[in-house]
Amino acid sequence: MKFSIMITTHNRLADLQRTLAVVARLDPAPLEILITADGCTDGTVEYVRNQYPTAKLTVNPMGRGSVASRDRMIREAVGELILSLDDDSYPEQANCLERIAQLFRERPKLAVAHFPQHTDEYPVSLTKKDFGAPCVTRAFANAGACLRRSVYLTLPGFESRFFHMYEEPDYGLQCSANGYEVLFSPVLTIRHHWSSQSRSRLINHHRHARNEFWSTLMRCPLPHSLAICGYRVLSQFRVACKYGPHWVVREPIWWFQAVAGIPYCIRKAKPFSWGQYKGWLSLPN
């Protein structure tokens, strides 16, 4: 099976250098490496062009977001299987591609495989060895997941308007509703350094909440979508409450953004049946 590896990056050159050094040692090697420099101003473009001239580099002078960047790379890729990484994440096993290929050979309905992470975001995971048994899930993390390109091209794919966050659960819903699997598998592990640079928990919370709301409008049928949207607003507000008043007073920011996007969501709405949507909700996250 032919592999492509895709990475989107924004002003984290040191992290990208470390990740690319690991990717260069994979055995077998991927067919190609696709990198999107999304609004980078830190020398990333020059570094990739000089040190990795064979990589397929896309330069977005103005940031388009990780979601649109990944969607474009998947559509332009040559490989049938596409390993998605963050600029600060990489597989810990040099023979990871063969392990992944075997997984996809055994499961013809497998659309996405994702893998456990040793991540600085959750320090307890750094020494964890047992991540449990494989299981079908409703979401995944693009910091360490492999997508079957032929399936992706038959579905709507990542919603570029999301910019960043929530494209994975939304795509997981598309896969589940169409009879494909999103599988968590411990056949390999991902080291995710989870750089705090260029990250804001508050902004990411707003994006996640807004995009979750938009996804519900586009994928969930009426009248159920009204109740689900209401639940989404309340559950995200509870998240904000856990972080204190400075989060709570900013919660309306994403409400206004979500409302502004309603006409777009209505135009693009292609809801699944309630049975399909409910079946996806029943899967572990």
Side-chain angles (χ1 to χ4, degrees):
M1 286 181 151
K2 296 179 179 179
F3 275 87
S4 300
I5 292 180
M6 69 173 182
I7 303 169
T8 182
T9 184
H10 173 67
N11 286 344
R12 287 205 293 245
L13 177 55
D15 293 299
L16 180 65
Q17 289 171 329
R18 177 176 53 207
T19 292
L20 289 177
V22 174
V23 169
R25 296 194 294 269
L26 296 183
D27 184 17
L31 182 66
E32 61 180 355
I33 301 173
L34 299 98
I35 302 169
T36 296
D38 192 45
C40 292
T41 57
D42 63 346
T44 290
V45 173
E46 294 76 15
Y47 174 80
V48 173
R49 284 175 174 165
N50 291 332
Q51 300 299 318
Y52 296 89
T54 60
K56 294 184 179 179
L57 176 65
T58 298
V59 179
N60 296 336
M62 299 292 292
R64 296 183 59 204
S66 61
V67 181
S69 297
R70 288 190 174 108
D71 177 72
R72 176 175 176 173
M73 286 188 286
I74 293 172
R75 297 184 187 280
E76 293 181 350
V78 175
E80 164 60 359
L81 299 180
I82 301 173
L83 179 59
S84 174
L85 301 172
D86 279 357
D87 51 15
D88 57 1
S89 68
Y90 50 81
E92 294 185 299
Q93 292 77 20
N95 66 342
C96 65
L97 299 186
E98 180 51 40
R99 298 187 186 196
I100 296 171
Q102 184 61 30
L103 197 62
F104 278 84
R105 291 189 196 105
E106 294 170 353
R107 305 179 79 108
K109 284 293 186 179
L110 182 58
V112 181
H114 60 113
F115 314 105
Q117 296 185 15
H118 292 127
T119 173
D120 297 312
E121 183 180 10
Y122 304 108
V124 68
S125 73
L126 294 175
T127 57
K128 191 173 182 178
K129 295 182 179 179
D130 184 3
F131 289 93
C135 63
V136 175
T137 64
R138 68 172 182 261
F140 60 97
N142 267 319
C146 187
L147 294 81
R148 196 189 297 265
R149 182 173 180 269
S150 59
V151 172
Y152 187 90
L153 296 180
T154 68
L155 302 175
F158 296 158
E159 172 51 60
S160 296
R161 192 178 178 100
F162 287 176
F163 189 82
H164 184 58
M165 307 293 292
Y166 205 75
E167 77 278 13
E168 302 105 328
D170 183 72
Y171 184 63
L173 169 57
Q174 297 171 39
C175 293
S176 175
N178 284 279
Y180 296 106
E181 294 178 325
V182 174
L183 181 74
F184 169 81
S185 175
V187 296
L188 61 100
T189 52
I190 299 293
R191 179 64 173 99
H192 193 181
H193 290 272
W194 206 82
S195 171
S196 60
Q197 186 177 347
S198 301
R199 295 185 194 268
S200 165
R201 286 187 181 273
L202 178 60
I203 292 175
N204 282 346
H205 163 70
H206 288 170
R207 287 171 174 164
H208 178 99
R210 178 199 66 193
N211 297 344
E212 182 182 57
F213 184 92
W214 285 346
S215 173
T216 303
L217 288 179
M218 289 187 284
R219 318 291 184 204
C220 184
L222 289 168
H224 305 88
S225 58
L226 301 178
I228 297 295
C229 281
Y231 172 78
R232 301 294 195 200
V233 173
L234 291 175
S235 64
Q236 294 297 339
F237 185 76
R238 286 197 295 268
V239 171
C241 289
K242 292 179 182 179
Y243 285 91
H246 65 293
W247 275 47
V248 171
V249 298
R250 291 170 174 80
E251 195 69 354
I253 293 174
W254 82 260
W255 298 347
F256 292 122
Q257 293 174 350
V259 169
I262 288 177
Y264 174 86
C265 294
I266 292 175
R267 289 195 303 271
K268 288 204 67 175
K270 291 185 178 179
F272 300 112
S273 71
W274 174 241
Q276 291 170 317
Y277 197 90
K278 188 178 179 181
W280 170 73
L281 283 176
S282 69
L283 295 172
N285 201 359

